[in-house]
Amino acid sequence: MSQPLKHKQLACFIAVADTLNFRQAAERLHMTQPPLSRQISQLEDVLGVQLFERSRRGVSLTEAGERFLPDARALLGQADALIEKARDYAQGAEHVLNIGITTALDAMAFPDLAALFRTRWPEVRLNLVPQRSIELIKRLQSGELDAALLGLPSRTGDLLVEHVYDDPLAVALPKGHPLARKRQLALADLQVETLFWFKRALNPTYHDHCQQVFQALAFSPRTIPEPTDHHVLLGMIAAGQGIALIPSSLKAIQRSGVVYRSLKEGAQLAIGIGVARRQGAVAPLVGELVESVRTYYKSLTG
């Protein structure tokens, strides 16, 4: 009989994956390194795969670890949601609003948004579901979600979409990179760099928009596949494997060995963020959600 995954194992795995440092992960979890290492080893035994490579140069995710990380975040989020729901039942039933969040945003920061929304609607709890926009649209259309924060432009069909803000792209690069000496960069500065970039299938509309801007500016760098998790991406940048164009709001993620610089063409490549819903679905609550998102974004960008 296979062993079940445990909440603690997933939390330990995600902490190490985010920091790529067992000491820092242990400090984040308020525990010592030996029990943290045991939790990781037990998880690897349950899964039957090695999740981390450990060497003199540091810690890195294996291919299996990188593939498992998005699922681990989703599983841990579901477990936390179930715990929260059980507490709600004990205190009296509340209305739950299932909200999708594009992974173009940092889902780890969104408990702050949930708390902000709760000050406006204390009887409503947000259940936040991070996924790619293309998947969120499908789940919204099928009725699994009440609303979703999408990356724009996207093909949204007959959904109602309210644009909330534009998130200009910025540059994330290794701290010791020669370009880090500049305060602002242009695409022309990045022409000879290796650029992490996402697959077209993940958001065809936005991908095509970016390609039009690239072609107009004769920008054609060497590209390599962008990992699905922001923290993995930043770890690879810190290791000198490439640079990336990221939404400016993600600069709130502090990662040792990575620096952020503004991009001259950042507004042209901006990711729009909109709140989408089905026609007639929870309109008053979505209106409050839009205002909460605007307030939250202002807090991120200053």
Side-chain angles (χ1 to χ4, degrees):
M1 182 176 178
S2 61
Q3 299 178 18
L5 293 176
K6 296 181 179 179
H7 187 281
K8 187 69 172 179
Q9 293 169 348
L10 294 174
C12 289
F13 167 65
I14 291 170
V16 177
D18 286 348
T19 60
L20 295 180
N21 184 296
F22 275 77
R23 179 184 58 79
Q24 293 177 15
E27 290 176 354
R28 176 193 288 191
L29 296 170
H30 305 290
M31 61 191 300
T32 58
Q33 290 186 54
L36 172 63
S37 297
R38 284 196 296 271
Q39 292 288 342
I40 297 298
S41 296
Q42 290 169 8
L43 179 59
E44 290 176 328
D45 289 342
V46 170
L47 298 175
V49 296
Q50 184 178 345
L51 298 172
F52 294 102
E53 294 281 0
R54 304 162 179 83
S55 67
R56 293 180 180 178
R57 292 184 297 176
V59 178
S60 61
L61 281 163
T62 63
E63 182 178 353
E66 184 176 331
R67 289 178 178 272
F68 180 60
L69 183 55
D71 293 331
R73 290 197 195 282
L75 284 171
L76 190 63
Q78 291 169 7
D80 289 340
L82 285 173
I83 292 171
E84 185 66 24
K85 186 177 292 187
R87 290 171 179 166
D88 291 342
Y89 288 152
Q91 298 172 3
E94 291 184 318
H95 181 72
V96 177
L97 200 61
N98 295 304
I99 304 297
I101 300 178
T102 173
T103 49
L105 302 171
D106 181 22
M108 292 183 67
F110 270 85
D112 295 336
L113 173 62
L116 178 62
F117 183 84
R118 201 175 182 89
T119 63
R120 299 173 181 264
W121 290 77
E123 73 281 10
V124 178
R125 180 172 60 82
L126 295 188
N127 176 36
L128 303 174
V129 182
Q131 260 186 329
R132 296 278 184 178
S133 291
I134 195 168
E135 295 299 326
L136 292 177
I137 291 169
K138 293 176 184 177
R139 297 186 68 176
L140 189 54
Q141 290 171 330
S142 69
E144 295 178 60
L145 299 174
D146 296 302
L149 275 69
L150 302 178
L152 303 175
S154 293
R155 295 174 184 169
T156 56
D158 60 355
L159 296 175
L160 299 177
V161 181
E162 181 167 355
H163 179 268
V164 182
Y165 63 85
D166 289 318
D167 203 351
L169 293 194
V171 185
L173 64 163
K175 185 176 181 180
H177 196 289
L179 290 176
R181 292 194 289 265
K182 291 188 174 184
R183 297 184 63 179
Q184 184 184 60
L185 298 172
L187 289 178
D189 297 321
L190 312 178
Q191 187 72 260
V192 298
E193 302 298 327
T194 297
L195 178 71
F196 287 104
W197 197 242
F198 65 98
K199 295 180 180 178
R200 183 179 184 276
L202 297 175
N203 191 333
T205 306
Y206 179 64
H207 185 279
D208 291 348
H209 166 71
C210 291
Q211 290 305 123
Q212 290 176 0
V213 176
F214 289 170
Q215 290 173 12
L217 297 173
F219 179 61
S220 56
R222 174 178 176 264
T223 61
I224 55 178
E226 183 179 275
T228 57
D229 187 275
H230 297 309
H231 297 271
V232 174
L233 171 64
L234 295 178
M236 296 174 75
I237 293 173
Q241 296 180 34
I243 66 170
L245 302 180
I246 63 166
S248 293
S249 58
L250 293 185
K251 293 192 294 184
I253 303 175
Q254 297 298 314
R255 178 64 169 86
S256 176
V258 177
V259 296
Y260 305 109
R261 296 293 181 264
S262 62
L263 179 66
K264 180 182 177 182
E265 300 87 356
Q268 293 177 256
L269 297 167
I271 295 176
I273 300 298
V275 176
R277 63 179 174 89
R278 297 181 306 282
Q279 296 191 34
V282 291
L285 292 180
V286 171
E288 290 290 345
L289 178 66
V290 169
E291 291 308 310
S292 295
V293 172
R294 285 199 177 107
T295 301
Y296 177 73
Y297 180 69
K298 289 178 181 177
S299 74
L300 287 180
T301 58

